[in-house]
Amino acid sequence: RKAWAWWDKSVKTGRELGARTELARTLAEIGKRTSGAAAAEYLRKARDLFEELGLDEDLRDLGPFGEGRTARAPARKDGVDG
């Protein structure tokens, strides 16, 4: 639960400040550490931002996660608005 609170704060702050690189990295982290459809959506948004910003190294770092695979924890039903 603490992670979700910090991710939520990071997403909101990234949007408010226009810090798109950090927003994309936060979305990627959420996607990597959750599962299901929500995780896939966070990863898609992160991948889209990485591509738009030309962050090729970050795209590579997504590795198999960027191809729709997800990680460990169950998806949060109310989710962070990514």
Side-chain angles (χ1 to χ4, degrees), residues 4-15:
W4 281 104
W6 285 109
W7 287 333
D8 185 48
K9 183 175 183 175
S10 181
V11 168
K12 288 178 182 175
T13 301
R15 287 188 174 141

Side-chain angles (χ1 to χ4, degrees), residues 5 9 16-17 26-27 34 39 44 47 58 62 68-69 74 81:
K9 183 175 183 175
E16 289 170 6
L17 298 177
T26 298
L27 295 172
T34 59
R44 183 195 61 77
R47 186 176 51 253
D58 289 280
L62 280 179
R69 287 184 44 197
D81 180 27

Side-chain angles (χ1 to χ4, degrees), residues 39-59:
E41 183 64 13
Y42 288 119
L43 291 168
R44 183 195 61 77
K45 289 178 182 183
R47 186 176 51 253
D48 290 350
L49 277 171
F50 289 153
E51 288 174 352
E52 186 177 324
L53 297 169
L55 299 171
D56 296 333
E57 188 171 329
D58 289 280
L59 277 169

